[in-house]
Amino acid sequence: MSVNRKLGKPTDQRRAMLRAMVTYLLENGQIKTTVSRAKEVAPVAEKMITLAKKNDLAAYRQALGFITKEDVAKKLFDELGPKYESRAGGYTRIVRIGPRRGDAAEMAILELV
C-alpha cells in the first residue's frame, strides 16, 4: 500500500477534511475536487460502503466514528449498503475534468458508481 498524500495539511486538519469529504460524497453521490484529494477520499469512502454491507451494530458504530453526520450514516446503511450488496468493491469512480481556472490544479469528479 502506498504512503498517504499529506495534501499540504497537518494530520488533524487532513483527517478532518477527509471525514468531511467522505460525508459529503455519501450524502450527495458526487464531489468536485482535485485529483490528488479524490485519490485519497476514494479508498476511505469504499471502506465505509464495505462497512455498510456488513450491516451490524459494530460496523454502524465504526462508521459513525468517522462520518460527521448521523443521517448520512443512516443513509449509508439503509440505502447504499443494500445497493452495493452484490458488488465486490469499486464503488467509486474518478473522472478528470481538466485544470481549475485559478491555479490550474487538475480537477476531477469523484462519484459513486
Side-chain angles (χ1 to χ4, degrees):
M1 194 167 152
S2 66
V3 177
N4 289 345
R5 296 166 181 81
K6 293 197 176 178
L7 302 172
K9 296 191 181 303
T11 307
D12 57 336
Q13 289 177 17
R14 186 169 58 248
R15 188 173 294 132
M17 183 192 69
L18 284 175
R19 286 179 65 186
M21 290 178 83
V22 167
T23 302
Y24 191 82
L25 173 64
L26 295 174
E27 187 175 28
N28 298 304
Q30 71 172 26
I31 50 175
K32 184 177 173 185
T33 183
T34 62
V35 171
S36 55
R37 283 184 182 184
K39 285 181 178 179
E40 281 302 301
V41 171
V44 184
E46 303 243 351
K47 189 174 180 186
M48 291 296 121
I49 293 171
T50 303
L51 275 177
K53 284 171 63 175
K54 285 184 189 170
N55 201 14
D56 60 359
L57 186 59
Y60 185 70
R61 287 180 174 166
Q62 203 173 339
L64 273 179
F66 191 82
I67 294 170
T68 58
K69 294 181 183 173
E70 211 169 305
D71 55 329
V72 174
K74 188 159 176 46
K75 176 187 175 185
L76 175 65
F77 278 76
D78 292 346
E79 297 172 27
L80 297 177
K83 178 182 173 186
Y84 294 114
E85 195 63 52
S86 59
R87 194 176 180 109
Y91 315 115
T92 58
R93 175 189 301 142
I94 298 174
V95 181
R96 291 168 186 260
I97 54 172
R100 181 161 56 194
R101 186 161 176 217
D103 59 0
E106 190 65 33
M107 296 298 285
I109 293 176
L110 176 63
E111 58 190 9
L112 296 175
V113 176

